[in-house]
Structures are given as C-alpha cells and as structure tokens.
Amino acid sequence: MNKQPDQNDDDLRALLGADTAEPPDTLDARILAAARAARQMRPAAPGITDTHTHGAETGSHRRGRPWYLPAGLGAAAAVLLAVLVVDRAPEVSIGPGASPPPPQLTRPEAPAALAQDAQAERFALARERAMPDEAAADSALVAADPAPAARSAPAPRGPAAEAPAPRGPAAEAPAPTCPASATPQSGEGLLLCLTPLHVEIHDRSTSGCTQPLVLARSAGNVSLARDGPEVIIRVDGIEQWRVQCTAGAWAVRAARP
Amino acid sequence: MREPVAAVDDDLLMARYRAGDLAAFECLYQRYRGLVYRFFLRQLPQADAEECHQEVWLKVIEGADGFRAQGQFRAWLFTIAHHTLTDRHRRGMRHAAIDPDVETDGLADPAPGPEADTEQALTAARLHRLVAALPLAQREALLLKESAGLSLAEIAAVTGATEEGVKSRLRYAMQKLRDALGRS
C-alpha cells in the first residue's frame, strides 16, 4: 500500500486490460452467419472495388437519420434471416428469385462453425426478458394461445441445449411449441413464437414444414392474415413478410420498403 | 491483387464486406469481438451481455451499406454499443445497482485460468465487481479507455461528452477503484 497513485493506476489498468473474456463460439457462429446471409441476399454495393480507397469511400453522412442506424427495412429483413439461412438453407427459397447456394467461407474453421445445428440454440440469445411495452403489446396474444402449457416448458439452457434436436419420424410427432422465453401466437395454420427481436414460425399442419422459420422483427403487435396460399405477417399493421410452406420448405417474401 | 485482410484497416474491411467479401467481415469481427463483448460483460449479466453483443453486430451488418469510412470504424462500432447499452438500461432490463461487497448474481467474473487461485485473479474479480458498481457514465468511460483502448476523443464522440468531461469521469472512476481496492 505504499505505492504511488500512478503506480496504483498502472496496476489497475493492467488488470482491466488483462481481461480476456470472449463471446461463446455459438454466438460467433450466429453473427458470422448473419453477415453471410446479409451479403448473399443483397447485391454488392456499387462502386466498391479492389482499388477502393478511403477517398472514394469518404463522404458526408446522409442527412435525416442517425448514421449508425440500419440502411433500410429491406436490408434489416434480409440480414436477420441469418438463422433461417444457416439452419435451413436446403429447405428455403427466398423471394421470387431464390438465392444461389451459399459460397464457402475462406477460413477453414468457419464452415464448421456455421454448419452447427442451431435447432437447440435458436433462442439461446433471443431469450429476451419480458419488457413492459412488449408484455402489454403481446398480452392479447398470450390470451389467445391454444397451448399455454407449452410456455411452462423450460427454455433450452446449458449443455443439454447444445444437443441437436431429435430428427426422424419420432421427432415429427409433437405439436410445435414455443420456448418459455417466447410469447406464442397462433393463426392461419401457424404458430408464432415471439421475442422482442425475433419471430419463430412453425407450420401447424402435420404434412407441412417440419422446421421452423426464424425472422427478425421490430417491436410491435404482430398480426396474421391469409392471402391465398401465403400468410401475411404484419407488425403494427405494416406488412413485413409473406410466408408460405410449399413442399416442406418455407418461402419468404419480405415487404418492399 | 488483394491485400491479406489481416493487414487491411477497418474502413477498407467494411468496404470489402459491402462488396461481398465475407472474409473481410470475419477479420473485422475477430478484431473487435472480444472488446465489444467485454464492454457489455463488465456491465451486464452474461445473458444480457451476449444479447447486446449480438445486437451490436447485427446493427453493424445492417448498417454496412450506410457506413461511410472516415477512419472511425472503432468509434462507430462503440457508438452502436453505447446506444445498445443505453437502450438496455432504459428498458430496465434486470440490471440493478450492484453492491461491490456482495457476490454479484450473473455478472461474469473473468474466465478462470490456471492462475484462478492466485491473488491477482481474485483482485481482478473484485475489480470487475467494483467496475460494475461505478456510475454508468464513469464505468463506460473507464471500459472504453482501459479495456477497449479508445482515445479520449473517441470516447467523447461515442458517449456524446466533451473530452474534459471524459477526463473527469475517468479520474473519478480511477479514484473510486483505488479507494475501494485500498480498503479491501
């Protein structure tokens, strides 16, 4: 305790700087999957080439909105389809023109990480705590839940949650349920599991899509409506997506901003 | 001929990512994943920290097309983190005042390593609890400076404070930590 304050400060800084905690691998995989999905679903930005320089890229920020906010609703919808694309790429077509098969990542360890079955970890991060505004917005949805017992099921956590979900005929028998951290909503043959950031969509028909579809969403009341074979998903009355389960695979169309 | 991504600066990596180069994003992510994660982990319970970490990177991905390089990717990244943290506090998500003398529920201690039993590891664990108990503005400034390595100017830009204000916050934070550790 005879150290000078500067020495003490150096010691403190050294301790703070020595912190080596890192995000879990599953979190890394999810984020990299989102990055990949976003690029696959959007054309490359025009004018960016290998010869790109700072000068070409430097410019004033666009007026009218904070510079850190997303570029647009379409982009947001595209990016946050990541979990869907990673987990169910063979089963899903996106939009009128289906995306090409995902290219392999350049780092050898990345494909393995991205190939993880995220069935059990879909909500590991999206296990949002009930927020007051969300709770109020979703209260009507909870009341309409036809399978309230499902909400009492514990959310997947810990090592058990890492195990891949069972597959095959035995796995198809149970009716779809939502994790405890999600608010269920039913309608138009679908079961939606709502968190503040995501909506997980289950097809309730026995012969439909066995894998859920996961989309990102903004806060607000979610409503469903059928339009022919498609189900329209709206948030606060604004159309966000049209989804359809065809031949066991989900087709999703994001609303144009 | 492309440069190896590891040698490329942040802004150019973002530009490459916008152009479809996923490896560029991976490189950026590798550079900052730990810094962003620890920024949250030292202020929130682990589950919340993981959610915020993911939220930040999804915003980076979403915002890639709107990002304009000015040599400030790091400040931009932590501005997003700052807003995410602020939103989290505003929503009152679970994070209450933390008593530094009480074992904190959910707030992660440094990952135990071979030195877990050493005095240094115990001091580090206590330090992290003390940091978590600092007022938000001081804690954030301290973590941005000492953990994330931002300059005073960058911290000022990220938090919307003046550089003098940041200095003051850092001074108070260090003083409190010194005092608390000196008492223990």
Side-chain angles (χ1 to χ4, degrees), chain A residues 101-114:
Chain A
Q104 293 300 306
L105 299 179
T106 53
R107 288 218 315 258
E109 66 272 29
L114 296 179

Side-chain angles (χ1 to χ4, degrees), chain B residues 5-95:
Chain B
V5 287
V8 176
D9 73 32
D10 297 341
D11 289 347
L12 195 49
L13 287 174
M14 275 297 277
R16 282 192 180 181
Y17 175 57
R18 288 175 56 192
D21 184 350
L22 183 63
F25 179 86
E26 289 182 54
C27 185
L28 261 183
Y29 182 69
Q30 287 298 327
R31 282 183 191 175
Y32 291 106
R33 60 190 274 279
L35 298 180
V36 172
Y37 182 67
R38 290 190 287 274
F39 173 74
F40 290 118
L41 189 65
R42 299 303 163 220
Q43 307 193 66
L44 296 168
Q46 183 167 355
D48 287 350
E50 290 182 10
E51 287 171 6
C52 286
H53 177 82
Q54 176 176 264
E55 212 171 312
V56 165
W57 286 101
L58 292 181
K59 286 175 183 172
V60 169
I61 293 166
E62 291 173 2
D65 287 341
F67 176 74
R68 292 293 177 269
Q70 294 181 321
Q72 296 178 344
F73 173 79
R74 190 168 60 166
W76 181 69
L77 176 65
F78 278 98
T79 299
I80 295 173
H82 165 74
H83 286 293
T84 302
L85 181 71
T86 303
D87 287 347
R88 182 62 53 129
H89 284 304
R90 194 170 289 149
R91 292 186 330 214
M93 302 261 311
R94 295 200 313 165
H95 187 59

Side-chain angles (χ1 to χ4, degrees), chain A residues 40-142:
Chain A
Q40 286 173 349
M41 297 175 67
R42 273 183 290 181
I48 304 297
T49 69
D50 286 354
T51 56
H52 161 81
T53 64
H54 282 167
E57 186 63 3
T58 301
S60 59
H61 300 312
R62 286 172 293 182
R63 296 177 189 277
R65 80 175 171 211
W67 54 295
Y68 51 82
L69 286 183
L73 282 176
V79 168
L80 294 163
L81 284 166
V83 177
L84 161 73
V85 172
V86 169
D87 292 349
R88 293 134 197 134
E91 309 165 9
V92 177
S93 61
I94 306 293
S99 300
Q104 293 300 306
L105 299 179
T106 53
R107 288 218 315 258
E109 66 272 29
L114 296 179
Q116 293 176 26
D117 186 338
Q119 173 75 14
E121 65 190 47
R122 286 191 307 274
F123 276 88
L125 268 192
R127 51 176 187 257
E128 301 292 338
R129 284 59 175 169
M131 293 180 291
D133 54 344
E134 288 290 332
D138 292 340
S139 58
L141 311 182
V142 174

